[in-house]
Amino acid sequence: MMARRTRLSSLPDRMPAVRGRLRADVDLAPLAWFRVGGPADILFQPADARDLADFLVAVPGDISVTVIGAGSNLLIRDGGIRGVVVQLGAGFSDIQIGGDGLIHAGAAVMDVKLASAARDAGLTGLEFLRGIPGAMGGAARMNAGAFGGELRDIFISAQGIDRLGQLREFSSEQAGFGYRKSAFPADVILTRISVRGQPGDRVAISARMAEIAAERSANQPVGARTGGSTFANPADPKAAGRKAWELIDAAGCRGLRIGDAMVSEKHCNFLINCGAATAADLERLGEQVRARVLEVTGVVLHWEIQRIGDEGGSI
């Protein structure tokens, strides 16, 4: 603890001047949907892309930089995150719609907001985003998908800023999308995503979005302290086409608990913080689910939720 305090006390003095918000020793739990996790040594919320670029150029190279988005698909461990945590906000929340169906969205734009903007412009193809929690930067990074659509279906290009402060642009081919993954370089912070919708009927688009919202509410623990789908659907032939939740259910894990960490009764590919769970509780529960599924079905489940930070204890 003393080593951490000594290191932390020196970090603010090593930070460059910014126009955004720069704070030391910030509790990250309120920024994540699970409401768990330790502090960030430094939390930087840049004013805009120029502020972010200037910061990345000037921050010492021995200080790690970690990006978090809306916190909807994220488990921040109890020990927190060393170095600088960057979270994009209002300066990355603009939406611009062109006459050719091209839509430019800041990386902090929530998926549902973009779906609604496309609907209002009479553009179809983005309805699936109504059912995906989170923001567009994370959606691009993991090729988010649900309800019959994936980001790569509508993706045109993306912009980002690398650790040297340089603007980088990526085509669809360079994005390298796969199932719940992409090939964007790890040191690039995505700042802007461009997608394309097709002309459609607003009434039909609204109806489809309402269907998605209703289905999500009926089948997922909406409103709970959760992190979205915990495990990716397996491609393993031993899974015989079954989705992750089906394998978890077959392994008898529905409702399984460790303390206040619980496998959702409503949708067993969701973990829930029922009140006082720690990140360690949730991760330990997830690992227990993986072990049971492997024992019963022979299938290895892979985490879809991003787990970051120091454990601060054993798993």
Side-chain angles (χ1 to χ4, degrees):
M1 180 62 72
M2 183 60 69
R4 166 169 160 71
R5 286 176 179 168
T6 301
R7 183 170 184 268
L8 178 57
S9 66
S10 68
L11 274 180
D13 295 335
R14 302 181 67 196
M15 294 296 103
V18 300
R19 289 181 289 109
R21 194 176 186 193
L22 189 70
R23 293 176 287 160
D25 200 22
V26 178
D27 182 14
L28 294 175
L31 303 183
W33 288 27
F34 273 123
R35 297 295 186 266
V36 299
D41 285 348
I42 300 287
L43 178 64
F44 175 43
Q45 295 163 309
D48 51 35
R50 184 71 264 165
D51 192 30
L52 174 61
D54 291 345
F55 175 84
L56 292 173
V57 167
V59 71
D62 65 319
I63 297 176
S64 64
V65 175
T66 303
V67 184
I68 64 172
S72 61
N73 192 239
L74 188 68
L75 181 61
I76 300 171
R77 292 182 172 119
D78 299 310
I81 302 176
R82 305 287 69 78
V84 176
V85 173
V86 174
Q87 185 186 46
L88 306 185
F92 303 83
S93 297
D94 62 305
I95 299 174
Q96 298 177 2
I97 300 179
D100 58 354
L102 191 63
I103 306 174
H104 304 289
V109 171
M110 297 299 288
D111 300 337
V112 63
K113 183 177 180 181
L114 189 61
S116 297
R119 174 202 60 204
D120 294 345
L123 296 173
T124 187
L126 284 75
E127 292 90 334
F128 73 96
L129 291 173
R130 174 63 183 85
I132 301 177
M136 287 302 296
R141 179 69 70 173
M142 67 175 293
N143 184 29
F147 301 96
E150 291 183 306
L151 192 78
R152 63 179 164 188
D153 299 334
I154 57 173
F155 182 88
I156 298 299
S157 64
Q159 291 183 345
I161 299 172
D162 66 20
R163 185 63 194 262
L164 299 177
Q166 298 176 325
L167 180 66
R168 304 276 298 275
E169 298 199 23
F170 303 91
S171 66
S172 181
E173 183 176 281
Q174 291 169 323
F177 290 123
Y179 176 66
R180 300 298 174 266
K181 64 182 180 180
S182 69
F184 295 113
D187 72 330
V188 170
I189 299 176
L190 297 178
T191 56
R192 197 167 184 79
I193 314 298
S194 297
V195 299
R196 176 166 277 126
Q198 301 299 323
D201 178 73
R202 288 185 180 86
V203 173
I205 296 169
S206 294
R208 177 55 183 152
M209 288 177 61
E211 286 178 1
I212 289 172
E215 183 177 344
R216 181 167 178 260
S217 180
N219 297 308
Q220 298 179 13
V222 175
R225 294 182 177 183
T226 186
S229 295
T230 305
F231 303 107
N233 289 325
D236 190 328
K238 291 193 290 291
R242 290 180 293 177
K243 294 183 178 180
W245 76 263
E246 294 175 292
L247 297 169
I248 294 168
D249 209 17
C253 296
R254 187 182 294 270
L256 188 66
R257 293 183 71 127
I258 292 180
D260 269 357
M262 184 179 79
V263 176
S264 171
E265 295 270 11
K266 196 171 191 179
H267 191 311
C268 54
N269 196 22
F270 285 70
L271 301 183
I272 296 175
N273 176 3
C274 295
T278 64
D281 291 335
L282 290 159
E283 190 165 6
R284 190 179 299 115
L285 179 59
E287 288 300 323
Q288 189 173 125
V289 169
R290 293 182 71 234
R292 289 197 182 188
V293 168
L294 178 60
E295 180 181 2
V296 172
T297 71
V299 177
V300 176
L301 291 179
H302 297 282
W303 286 85
E304 184 172 315
I305 286 176
Q306 302 301 302
R307 297 162 295 151
I308 60 175
D310 294 348
E311 293 176 0
S314 60
I315 292 302

